Structures are given as C-alpha cells and as structure tokens.
Amino acid sequence: MTQPFRIPGAGRLTPAKIARFTFDGKAYTGLEGDTLASALLANGVHLVGRSFKYHRPRGFLSAGAEEPNALVEISRDATRRTPNVRATVQELYDGLAAQSQNRWPSLGFDVGAVNNLLSPFLSAGFYYKTFMWPKAAWKRLYEPNIRAAAGLGVAPEEADPDHYAARFAHCDVLVVGGGAAGLAAALAAAETGVRVILCDEQPEFGGALRYESGARIEGLDGYSWARQAVEKLAAMDNVRLLTRTTAFGYYAQNFVGLTERVTDHLASPGKAPRERLWQVRAARVVLATGAIERHMVFADNDRPGVMLASAARAFLNEYGVAVGRTIGVYTANDSAYAAAIDLKKAGVDIAAIVDLRDDPSGPLVEQARSLGIEVNPGRAVVGVGGRQRVSSMIVQPTGGGGKRTIPIDALLVSAGWTPSVHLFSQSRGKVAFDAGSQRFLPGLYAQDCRSVGACNGTDGLAETLNEAFAAGEAAAKATLGETSAGGGGNAPKVDASEDWAGGMLGSAPGAGADTTVKAFVDFQNDVTAKDIRQAVREGMRSIEHVKRFTTNGMATDQGKTSNMHGLAIAAETLGKEIPEVGLTTFRAPYTPVTFGAIVNHARHELFDPTRRTATHGWAEAHGAVFEDVGQWKRAWYFPRPGEDMHAAVNRECVTVRRSAGLFDASTLGKIEVVGPDAAAFMELIYTNPWQKLEPGRCRYGIMLREDGFIYDDGVVGRLSDDRFHVTTTTGGAARVMNHMEDYLQTEFPHLNVWLTSISEQWAVIAVQGPKSRDILAPLVEGIDLSDAAMPHMSVREGSICGVPTRLFRMSFTGERGFEVNVPADYGQAVWEAIWAEGEKHGACAYGTEAMHVLRAEKGYIIVGQDTDGTVTPNDAGLDWAVGKKKTDFVGIRGLKRPDLLAPGRKQLVGLKTVDPKVVLEEGAQIVQDPNQPIPMKMIGHVTSSYWSENCGRSIAMAVVAGGHGRLGETLHVPMPDGSIAVEIVSAVFFDETGERLHG
Amino acid sequence: MLLIRCPYCEEERPELEFRHAGEAHVVRSSDMAEISDEAFEQFFFIRSNPKGIVFERWRHLHGCARFFNAARDTVSDRFLATYKAGEPKPDVSKFAADAGPAAYANVPPAELNDREGGAKQ
Ligand SMILES: [Zn+2]
C-alpha cells in the first residue's frame, strides 16, 4: 500500500489527485496540495537530512517556514538545481525530484557521522580555538575539510536559466500575514475602499485556522470562515491578494520587500517567471505575522520523529497525514493537547501526554482526559530511544525519581509560542520583554505600523479579531484623513476558540546545568544547551557574543525556534533576567531569498550596459579588436591578415607619422559651458586663464580638486565669447560634469552659466598626421584649413560632407591633426567619407593602443594612468598651465600646502632603458641602488611603457622623487630576473621641438 | 529605500534618484587663496560625522539635478528637513522634541519631510 500514513477522510486533499515524486532516487506518491514534507510523512519517511556539524540524522521539526532540519535539494534539470529547500515549504508537483544533503555516501550510512563521536572536540567556539595554528593550515587543511564534512547543500555550477520579475507597488494598507488576524485587518481596511495588499507565505490564506479545529467564527468553522473572507476580499477591486509571498524585509518609511514564488510549485513552469520581487511602499502596515511554536530542549530531542505539536496537527488536518502510529506528547502548554485530541479523534494512538506543569488544567486538558488520553503532569521527557527514528520516550518526574520508558514512533513537543516580531524589529521598532508571559513583544514603534494578533502577544481568537479589525480600520481611515473609533465593533464574531495558555523557556529538567547530554537548542547549527552554558563560562556576557561564539541562531532559519531558548539558558547561566541579557537583532531576510529574485532583470546588458560609438559597426567590419574602457567598447587595434597586436600597433604608429591615421575619439567627455559668465566660470574651474582666449582658439586645460591634485584634463575650444566646448577624459565625463555642476550650483551660484553634457551628441573623428589636412580638405566646406587661417589649437564651425561640424585643429599625437565633431547620427557616414579620402593617401585606422604609444612618444600624460590623484601640475611638468596671476580657482589654496611645495616630490619624467630593446613593466618600482639590501628604498614607479617603432626603441614615463632634477641620472628597476638600468630623460621622445604640430 | 523630498521638485522621490554629496554648510572662503593652513585643514579635511543630526548635501541627480541640503538623524536615517542650497541651517533645537522613533511612527510618511524649519507642532 502506498502512503500508509494517509488517513482516509482526514485533511483537505483530494485522494484521486496523485502526484509522483522521488526522494534520493526512490519513487513515492503523494497528493496534489501536499508539501514535500507531508508527502514523505504520508509514506512514513522521517529521516530526511544530516545535521550541519555532527551529521546526526534529522527529520521534520515543523510544517512551515521555520524548518531548521529538513533541507533538501530540488532539481528540475541540470541547471535548475536548488539546494537548501525546506521540504516543509516546497509544494509537491508531479515529477518532483528531491535529494537529501550533507551526507555521504547515503542518508542512512553517513561517514561524517563520526563527527558525532568527535563532538568533545567540536564544541562551542571550536572554529576559533582548534584551528588557530598554524595559520597556513587554515587555508590548506582545515577549511577545505570542514567545508567538505559540514555544510549545507551544494550550489549549482551553471548559470540560472530562469527569469525573475519585479514590481513596484504602492498601497494604503499592507497587511503581512493572512491568518485570522491578517484577514480581519484586511477586511476592515478594504471595506473603506483604500488600496490594500494582503500577503502570506503559505499557498493558502488562513494561517493557524488551517489546522485549528476548535475555532468557529461567524457560524463557520475557522477554515471555512477564512475561505469566505478570502472570497470576499478577492471580489474587491481595491485589494491585491498575494499567496506564496513572503515579506522578507521591512525597510525605512514603510518600504517592504516581498518575494512571490510563482512557479516553484508547478510541474511545468512554462514561460512564467520563477519568482516575483515586490517592492511595496505602504502608507500603513499591519503586521499579522503570528507566532512560532518552540520545541522542548532535552536529551536527543533531534531524533527523527520528534516534531512540533502544531506541525503534527497541520499534517493531520491539512494533509490528512499521521506522523506516527503511537505518538507521545511532551509539552509545557495547552496547544499540544489540541494536537493530541485531533490525532486521537482521527484514530491515532496517543501513548501519553507528558506535561512539565504540575497541575495543567483548562478545557483542552479536560477534553484530552475525557478522551482517555493518559496525562502525566509534573513530568519531563529526559531522553528518547532510537537513532534514525524515535522509538521511545523516557519519562521522569520533574523533581527526580523513577524513570519510565514508553514506546512511541513520534513525539510531539511544545514549549509554547514565540511571537514573530521579526518584521517589527526590522522596522527598527524596539521590542519589550513582557515578564508575565515571558515574551518579547512589540514596544516602541519606529514606523507607521501596528502589530496585531499572536505577533503582538494577543492571546485568544476573539481578542485577536477585535484588535486586528480595529487596526485595519484605523490604518485605512488614517490614510483617508479620518479618525477611527477603533473599537473593532464590527469584527467577525468568534463562536468558539482554543485556549493555548502556558509555555516555558530554556532547557527542560534532565537537560539542566550539570548534564552533558546533547539537548539541542539550534538544530540547524547543532548548538546544544551545554554549548551555550560553555560560552557563558568562557566569558561571553552579551547575547550577541554568545550567539557568535556558539553560532546559535546564525543558520539560515535565523533561530526562529531557538533564539528564545538560547537566550533563556544564557540568562540562567549568567544569573540574570532575560531582558538584562538582551535580544539579538533581527535582520532581513525573514526567510532566505534567492539571488535570482534580488538580481532580477539586472543581468548582463541590463546590469552593465555596453556603450558603442557611431563607428562601431565600421570598426567591427574592418577587423578591429576591441577593449573595454569603462562601459565603452573602443577599437584597440586593427590587425591586418598575419599581424599580431604588436605588428598592427607598430604599423599604425608609423603610418600616422608618415601619412595619417583615423581614430574614433567619440568617447571623450564633452560639456558645453554657455552663458555671459562662461569665461569667469572656466577661470574658477580650471587652473588656466580663459578670459583672454580668443573665440576660435583652443587651450589645454587642467582641472584640480581643492587639495591641489590633478582631477581631469582636456582641450577646450572657445566657440564664442559666451560658449566653450570642453572635453574631458573618457572615464571622467560624468564626474567632471558633476564637479562643475556642484561648484556652479553651490559655490558660484552668482554666475550666469549653463552646463550641458554633449558627450553623446557629437561623434569625434580624429584625423592625425602630415596628410590630415589633405584628407579633410575635399570634404570640408566653409572653413579655411590653411595653417595661417587655422593654426594648431583652433576651432571652427562649418560643414563636412554637408553635415554641420565643429572642427578642431588639435593633436594628441604630436602631428598636424584635426578632430572632426559631427552629430553622432552622421558619425559613421562622415567617417566612411574621410576613410575613402584617407585611403588615397595611405592612411590607416588606428586604435587606442597606437593612440597611447603616439601620445607617450610626445610625453602627453593620461590622467589616471600617469597621475594617481596625488600629482600636482608641477609634478606632471605642467606648471605652465597654471595661471600665475589668478586669485582664485578650485585647488589654488591646496597647491600652496607645504607638502605640495616641498622638495623631493615624485615628478613625471621620461625613462630610457640602457638596453633599448627592453620594455619596462608598467607599475614597476624604481630604486637608486639595485644592490641595497631588501627591502629596498623605492623612489618612484613606471606609469607608462611601450615599444616605440617610431623611435626604434622602448620608451617609458615614470614618477620619480625629485625627478625633474635628475635628468641624465641612471636608476634601476629591480625585477624578479634581474635589475634593469634606466636613464632619466625628458618625457618627450619624438620631435622634441614640436614643429610637426604646426604642419 | 528612503523617500527624500527634493526641495526644488517639491515632492518625495525614491532614494535611487539621489546621490549623497558630503557634509553641508562647509563654507568655501571668498578669499580662498589666502586662508591659513589651519583654515584650509578645517575646510577640506575635517568633517563632523556626528551620531544624531547631521547636515548633509544631496543631489537630485536623476531628477532636477539640483544640489540641496538635508538634516538627517544618523541613528534613525530619518530626514528631518530638506532645504535649498544657500538657505540657512534649520534650528536643531526644533527637531529635538520629535526626534525619537515613537514620534516618527506617529507622523504620516507623506508628511515626514514636509515641515517648515523642522517642527510640526
Ligand atoms: Zn528635484
């Protein structure tokens, strides 16, 4: 018989709707609507995992999101392999394939379980103590072995093929949690007509009403009332209902993150996204997040078959599954009685209820007794039999005395309920300890939200519905600017409910202070009561230290079942009250969130866009190899058949100086500075003087930060009295714009100037070389290109190929050169026209590598390569560009700082290797004496270094201490295979007089 | 994600549209070239970094692109006021009364930054 633990007539699933699945390769059947956990339990499977540290056999503790043990891997195919899925949350679908984790070679026989025998060496803080020395062994030996032996699932190696959706949503009232409280709050809010979002992590609304058989509301059983409430809400246009949706993070100003699991429960996900991330901004938030049952802390309380009473009840009433045939109950509160009663009524044998309390009473206790269930008050379970499945419980009076062993195959435990204040705490609300009920409850609110029901410590269904209804109504009315009577007068009427009084914190008798048994507090991280006591003995006083030393509550379940027990044990050991010891901080996410949901659409091009210039297609067609410069793709070099990079760059460099070359300079930043005070603004932003620059002329400008260091540079053309065309470095385009705007808006707001980024408006084609004018002349209209009419460093407006152009005569190569600015849409067409002319003169296209070599041959710096944020204009040999008569510019005071004027600063120089064939490494350090003892005194480093075909030798630039005064000196560059002798020279290696610039 | 009220756009916009731009009310001397080393040190290197109310600059980069000033509580991240560049510092003492988290809860989000000189009442 399949599913031997499915009870006919119990639960709400349809027996005919079979779903097949496998666990560790073995085939099983379950029912549609099952979770993987309920389906496995229906088949009598309790052993589903091995614990993190000791590899102890583990089963299901819970039936929900708090599950610490039952983590499995779900794989749809090779790429869709999800580790660490809680089997209690994963819904069953036909064909589901699940694997257990953290075991080898099999779940039943796990070699790593030897850790359990070694546990004296693996106690609290073992990471910090055992593996401290030798340091190198950590990386080589300890860490890989610990990782292999103790761990969670294995991350998939292939890229995630699924897609994820994202939505921003706004609402008046967000209700988190769709149990009795959440439904009541949502009903009240929705009836006012405001926009309401109600979300719940479960596949179905109802919360505890899904299993709480004793509740009756408005004449219906609790579950039916919940269904009716959902139908009512679903019919309202102002309400959005989200199931399978977890509110995982509560951020500032009522910004709440939700993840909706869209297809993880479907056999065929189709094209739908796997998950949807909701970023909700709510005017008001109602938290109805409920409470989580705690386990009892006693010896070997982690044996498969030991589970929360509420879980067993959910498995029975929702899924029709009995978690055993002969079930024991160990409790300190009344709610476990309800579980025993339901199971008993379903025909399951309840061996005995063991209650820590001396005199339990109340309707549930009486009902249990009247059903003939044996109730043992004033007794504790001090141990269990069985290894891979619990087989008996050992019962002893709490005051000591004779032990009795009762055979069982499942043990339901309940130490009471912990209010889920996670989101409240994330919202920066301050929790307060309620001594009477021994609970942390919402205290001081930090945001506009209210907690209702169990998460607010409100016991009793009627009180919960009244409170929730009133809060929902008040929240809605507040957004409408109305005040609410807030009495909850129209709240759904409760006809019957269960009383869940009682509870205890910390270790139970038999796992007390002087025992060494393994009584688990945190199942997922294998933290025992003894570990926490040891942490206190070893000097941990703050709960934050205890937490980190023991790792209690630090696993992926974030201590949902363990935090309060751990805190109570620490407090008891310290001899302090719980609030004195404090509560650890709750952090997002409430339950694990996939990277896919967070990353969402921001992958590939949508994460980091690629920017391409107007001539990209042409360059591609002409064989360009591209390099990434920031987000830009730039043509690096244009190899011809048979050429490697070196050969291509050499040819390009030689061709430019012999004939001409075309270069796409479009990526340079371009800013238009316009207005009556444009020149005054330029004076303040740049070191150079600008007032006297005539329209039609250009100037190389340097921009500093206030500290006096070079920030950016570029050629600036003055188009008219009130209009400058500024260029910046490629990488500096955005920040220079920001820098200029900052000063214009905040320091110099009196200036009448407008700044416009025009980087993407103009395509820039550099035509460089002795033939550049001959190439352009046939294409340009309305501009006299003669040296007399248009000398070096001038700018003209006219047209080229019938397209408007801003034509600069400027050079970054040291040759006669032009930069043709045309509207970007015409960039490729104009390039092609110039190229056709260029070919007649033997010109080439050249890339960024040749550009770098050509500029280095002339000693032109690249900001960010030859400067590093600590270089002044003087250091760079650019003192001439600082206006000596100016009374203000950004950086003027910084330049006067004593250290910037002191002798011995690193200054930019040229280097020639004594052996001209040797090309230095960029970044290599420079020393005076290569024979000095190590560590050597380093006096500078190489900033740029190339082979220069035009010079027939290697060339390099460097910053060297006192470099300007060292011309002619020989220094040394120590390298692993010997020292390289270099001579300090002027940084101009080619055409030192600069006559080629002028034609 | 914070909502920040841009004093130029006169509405709250998501934090994504803004860039932080350092401490506010750091005055650049009109006689910059001549200030003392000590004055330059104060101007360029020294920042207050308080726990509590900080005055800082923000830029509505992906909006109107204007720089403006804000008073923010570094403990709660709450914006107490935003105001245009060049306007005087709001009176801190007026914030003290409602600087606590409880007060924050009781102020509708839409009004959080909507207060003249800080104090609502
Ligand atoms: Zn704005």
Side-chain angles (χ1 to χ4, degrees):
Chain A
M1 179 191 168
T2 56
Q3 306 183 48
F5 287 84
R6 191 85 65 180
I7 299 180
R12 283 186 284 272
L13 307 187
T14 308
K17 293 192 173 171
I18 297 283
R20 289 153 298 172
F21 69 103
T22 64
F23 178 61
D24 280 350
K26 193 170 175 215
Y28 296 96
T29 60
L31 298 180
E32 277 181 25
D34 262 326
T35 61
L36 177 59
S38 67
L40 283 166
L41 287 169
N43 288 278
V45 177
H46 278 256
L47 173 63
V48 284
R50 288 277 175 171
S51 71
F52 182 69
K53 201 160 85 176
Y54 301 130
H55 288 242
R56 285 169 68 102
R58 288 285 165 80
F60 306 97
L61 180 72
S62 75
E66 69 271 35
E67 177 59 34
N69 285 335
L71 304 183
V72 299
E73 178 181 288
I74 305 289
S75 45
R76 287 186 188 273
D77 54 45
T79 54
R80 292 177 174 84
R81 204 160 59 68
T82 312
N84 308 327
V85 174
R86 287 153 295 160
T88 53
V89 172
Q90 174 66 48
E91 293 171 62
L92 195 67
Y93 55 80
D94 195 49
L96 181 144
Q99 296 277 333
S100 59
Q101 301 180 158
N102 199 30
R103 84 288 187 269
W104 184 85
S106 75
L107 189 54
F109 176 74
D110 175 17
V111 168
V114 72
N115 282 2
N116 196 24
L117 304 175
L118 295 174
S119 61
F121 308 101
L122 295 175
S123 60
F126 82 106
Y127 282 107
Y128 308 111
K129 290 185 289 201
T130 315
F131 304 111
M132 284 300 286
W133 189 90
K135 207 173 166 187
W138 177 257
K139 250 191 154 149
R140 221 177 47 242
L141 188 63
Y142 299 145
E143 193 182 2
N145 281 302
I146 293 170
R147 288 253 176 266
L152 296 167
V154 181
E157 281 166 15
E158 293 179 56
D160 185 346
D162 284 317
H163 71 284
Y164 299 79
R167 290 281 295 271
F168 288 89
H170 296 79
C171 65
D172 297 299
V173 181
L174 168 67
V175 181
V176 179
L183 288 169
L187 284 170
E191 276 165 16
T192 67
V194 304
R195 296 167 303 163
V196 175
I197 295 177
L198 171 66
C199 69
D200 193 279
E201 64 188 359
Q202 301 276 351
E204 199 177 24
F205 290 107
L209 294 177
R210 296 169 71 197
Y211 62 79
E212 191 181 336
S213 51
R216 287 193 71 80
I217 305 167
E218 301 268 303
L220 298 168
D221 66 89
Y223 178 78
S224 299
W225 174 80
R227 297 269 60 72
Q228 193 187 62
V230 170
E231 275 167 32
K232 195 170 172 189
L233 289 166
M236 300 170 90
D237 287 341
N238 57 324
V239 178
R240 185 189 293 280
L241 297 176
L242 296 170
T243 52
R244 299 189 178 91
T245 303
T246 304
F248 65 84
Y250 195 138
Y251 307 94
Q253 289 161 297
N254 277 352
F255 189 66
V256 183
L258 320 176
T259 45
E260 179 186 3
R261 291 170 295 283
V262 182
T263 60
D264 272 356
H265 64 292
L266 299 177
S268 306
K271 288 198 162 76
R274 184 177 169 218
E275 294 182 12
R276 185 174 289 119
L277 177 72
W278 291 83
Q279 296 175 71
V280 179
R281 182 81 65 177
R284 299 291 190 289
V285 174
V286 176
L287 295 174
T289 49
I292 292 172
E293 197 173 27
R294 293 184 301 277
H295 58 281
M296 296 290 279
V297 178
F298 60 98
D300 297 328
N301 58 344
D302 62 329
R303 291 303 183 212
V306 180
M307 70 170 65
L308 298 173
S310 61
R313 205 176 177 202
F315 288 128
L316 177 71
N317 292 345
E318 177 78 21
Y319 307 103
V321 172
V323 299
R325 304 249 186 256
T326 308
I327 297 178
V329 178
Y330 180 25
T331 187
N333 83 108
D334 294 347
S335 67
Y337 283 79
I341 290 164
D342 284 352
L343 283 159
K344 178 82 179 175
K345 284 181 175 170
V348 179
D349 180 32
I350 302 298
I353 296 176
V354 179
D355 197 323
L356 264 185
R357 297 170 297 181
D358 288 329
D359 189 19
S361 61
L364 288 169
V365 179
E366 297 320 312
Q367 197 186 345
R369 284 196 167 114
S370 70
L371 284 169
I373 298 173
E374 177 189 332
V375 177
N376 294 282
R379 283 175 168 73
V381 174
V382 296
V384 294
R387 235 191 100 64
Q388 297 192 353
R389 175 80 183 267
V390 65
S391 63
S392 64
M393 59 177 175
I394 301 158
V395 180
Q396 188 180 29
T398 51
K403 291 178 184 170
R404 174 182 161 210
T405 300
I406 303 175
I408 51 170
D409 62 358
L411 177 56
L412 314 188
V413 294
S414 177
W417 294 80
T418 306
S420 292
V421 295
H422 307 73
L423 289 177
F424 168 78
S425 180
Q426 283 182 28
S427 80
R428 296 192 180 186
K430 298 266 180 287
V431 294
F433 190 69
D434 180 53
S437 63
Q438 295 281 294
R439 296 183 290 197
F440 281 102
L441 298 175
L444 200 56
Y445 281 84
Q447 298 198 40
D448 210 325
C449 72
R450 287 292 170 267
S451 298
V452 295
C455 71
N456 196 36
T458 303
D459 302 316
L461 190 56
E463 293 84 345
T464 289
L465 291 185
N466 284 339
E467 174 180 74
F469 195 87
E473 186 178 78
K477 289 200 169 166
T479 67
L480 297 168
E482 301 168 16
T483 51
S484 163
N490 301 318
K493 189 172 160 296
V494 173
D495 308 315
S497 66
E498 299 173 4
D499 183 12
W500 292 3
M504 61 89 64
L505 293 171
S507 56
D514 44 1
T515 66
T516 58
V517 298
K518 279 204 177 56
F520 285 93
V521 173
D522 181 330
F523 293 105
Q524 205 179 6
N525 268 351
D526 269 352
V527 181
T528 64
K530 173 177 158 272
D531 290 330
I532 291 170
R533 285 191 284 266
Q534 181 193 339
V536 172
R537 276 202 309 279
E538 294 196 12
M540 310 301 143
R541 291 293 175 268
S542 151
I543 194 64
E544 296 284 357
H545 291 157
V546 171
K547 167 180 166 173
R548 281 157 185 79
F549 192 71
T550 62
T551 71
N552 191 58
M554 289 175 72
T556 60
D557 69 334
Q558 292 200 54
K560 289 186 178 61
T561 51
S562 65
N563 279 340
M564 287 308 296
H565 281 320
L567 179 55
I569 295 166
E572 185 191 9
T573 314
L574 284 163
K576 289 183 175 176
E577 294 300 314
I578 284 174
E580 289 179 75
V581 180
L583 186 63
T584 53
T585 312
F586 293 95
R587 297 188 196 285
Y590 172 70
T591 49
V593 175
T594 63
F595 282 110
I598 298 293
V599 171
N600 223 284
H601 297 301
R603 300 171 73 180
H604 311 302
E605 291 258 297
L606 293 178
F607 171 67
D608 191 18
T610 301
R611 303 174 79 184
R612 296 178 181 85
T613 69
T615 68
H616 188 89
W618 186 94
E620 225 167 22
H622 286 74
V625 175
F626 292 89
E627 70 167 333
D628 292 333
V629 180
Q631 292 175 326
W632 289 103
K633 292 281 178 201
R634 299 196 74 181
W636 193 10
Y637 56 97
F638 291 83
R640 290 182 178 171
E643 282 184 342
D644 60 7
M645 177 177 174
H646 188 69
V649 171
N650 284 349
R651 173 183 49 75
E652 289 169 17
C653 289
V654 168
T655 306
V656 169
R657 298 215 186 279
R658 199 178 53 215
S659 167
L662 271 66
F663 174 72
D664 188 339
S666 302
T667 65
L668 286 184
K670 295 173 278 294
I671 299 167
E672 202 157 288
V673 179
V674 184
D677 298 321
F681 178 71
M682 293 293 289
E683 291 270 337
L684 288 163
I685 289 294
Y686 284 88
T687 60
N688 317 62
W690 298 95
Q691 294 284 15
K692 289 181 181 160
L693 183 71
E694 290 170 23
R697 297 307 304 259
C698 302
R699 182 162 284 167
Y700 169 72
I702 298 177
M703 186 181 295
L704 309 181
R705 301 184 309 218
E706 289 288 7
D707 57 9
F709 296 129
I710 295 175
Y711 186 61
D712 205 80
D713 69 347
V715 170
V716 177
R718 189 170 194 172
L719 298 170
S720 62
D721 278 343
D722 61 356
R723 187 175 297 262
F724 291 83
H725 179 114
V726 168
T727 66
T728 74
T729 59
T730 296
R735 64 180 156 79
V736 167
M737 183 74 189
N738 189 68
H739 176 85
M740 286 186 171
E741 278 287 353
D742 192 348
Y743 277 95
L744 180 60
Q745 290 183 32
T746 66
E747 298 296 348
F748 314 130
H750 56 281
L751 298 178
N752 189 356
V753 175
W754 293 88
L755 303 171
T756 309
S757 170
I758 51 170
S759 298
E760 297 191 343
Q761 275 59 47
W762 296 100
V764 185
I765 304 159
V767 187
Q768 299 280 315
K771 300 287 186 188
S772 54
R773 183 170 56 198
D774 298 340
I775 292 168
L776 288 176
L779 306 172
V780 172
E781 293 158 26
I783 302 172
D784 182 349
L785 295 180
S786 69
D787 287 334
M790 192 175 178
H792 179 55
M793 295 303 264
S794 54
V795 59
R796 300 286 181 271
E797 290 180 274
S799 64
I800 182 166
C801 310
V803 173
T805 182
R806 286 180 180 173
L807 182 64
F808 284 73
R809 175 151 182 199
M810 55 182 281
S811 176
F812 201 43
T813 58
E815 301 295 327
R816 162 191 282 147
F818 296 86
E819 290 195 358
V820 182
N821 287 249
V822 291
D825 285 350
Y826 298 106
Q828 179 151 337
V830 173
W831 171 283
E832 285 173 2
I834 298 173
W835 174 249
E837 285 301 318
E839 282 200 299
K840 298 176 191 168
H841 297 273
C844 68
Y846 66 100
T848 49
E849 187 64 20
M851 177 270 283
H852 275 104
V853 177
L854 290 165
R855 65 90 202 177
E857 287 172 351
K858 294 295 298 177
Y860 299 151
I861 64 162
I862 288 185
V863 169
Q865 173 161 346
D866 302 297
T867 71
D868 61 1
T870 66
V871 174
T872 66
N874 182 271
D875 298 339
L878 298 169
D879 231 4
W880 56 265
V882 180
K884 301 295 177 298
K885 292 179 188 159
K886 291 172 68 168
T887 56
D888 197 5
F889 58 82
V890 175
I892 192 168
R893 180 59 184 83
L895 283 177
K896 295 182 187 176
R897 290 189 289 152
D899 282 358
L900 271 60
L901 300 169
R905 289 188 58 78
K906 286 184 182 170
Q907 293 168 324
L908 195 73
V909 293
L911 295 182
K912 278 184 178 168
T913 50
V914 171
D915 177 351
K917 298 274 181 257
V918 174
V919 180
L920 296 168
E921 270 189 37
E922 289 177 354
Q925 296 293 322
I926 298 165
V927 303
Q928 185 102 41
D929 171 12
N931 299 315
Q932 64 185 296
I934 292 170
M936 298 187 187
K937 181 176 167 53
M938 295 174 284
I939 59 172
H941 67 271
V942 179
T943 61
S944 292
S945 175
Y946 310 94
W947 173 261
S948 166
E949 190 73 3
N950 286 315
C951 299
R953 58 157 302 125
S954 70
I955 59 170
M957 293 159 76
V959 287
V960 176
H964 295 163
R966 289 178 183 262
L967 293 188
E969 272 186 35
T970 299
L971 298 176
H972 302 272
V973 177
M975 297 300 289
D977 50 355
S979 202
I980 302 165
V982 295
E983 188 194 343
I984 304 262
V985 295
S986 146
V988 185
F989 299 91
F990 187 85
D991 182 29
E992 288 180 33
T993 57
E995 60 197 24
R996 296 173 69 95
L997 278 172
H998 304 283
Chain B
M1 182 161 49
L2 299 169
L3 286 176
I4 302 173
R5 180 183 173 81
C6 173
Y8 295 95
C9 296
E10 300 187 329
E11 63 176 332
E12 287 187 321
R13 304 294 304 169
E15 188 184 342
L16 287 174
E17 296 182 4
F18 297 84
R19 287 286 183 286
H20 190 263
E23 186 163 347
H25 302 289
V26 176
V27 179
R28 188 179 189 275
S29 170
S30 56
D31 189 20
M32 193 62 195
E34 303 304 325
I35 63 173
S36 67
D37 283 351
E38 291 71 25
F40 182 77
E41 181 197 30
Q42 280 299 324
F43 164 74
F44 190 74
F45 293 106
I46 307 300
R47 294 295 179 267
S48 60
N49 194 26
K51 179 179 181 179
I53 295 172
V54 65
F55 294 91
E56 60 193 8
R57 305 185 326 131
W58 286 80
R59 186 180 184 200
H60 193 188
L61 186 61
H62 303 295
C64 64
R66 300 296 298 268
F67 285 84
F68 60 90
N69 293 331
R72 183 175 59 91
D73 187 333
T74 58
V75 177
S76 66
D77 271 348
R78 179 183 162 210
F79 280 82
L80 300 157
T82 58
Y83 50 102
K84 293 176 181 175
E87 289 180 355
K89 250 186 198 182
D91 182 357
V92 177
S93 64
K94 289 184 177 169
F95 296 142
D98 66 349
Y104 186 22
N106 298 328
V107 177
E111 292 172 36
L112 279 176
N113 295 319
D114 187 18
R115 40 185 69 194
E116 293 297 320
K120 193 164 161 58
Q121 56 239 349

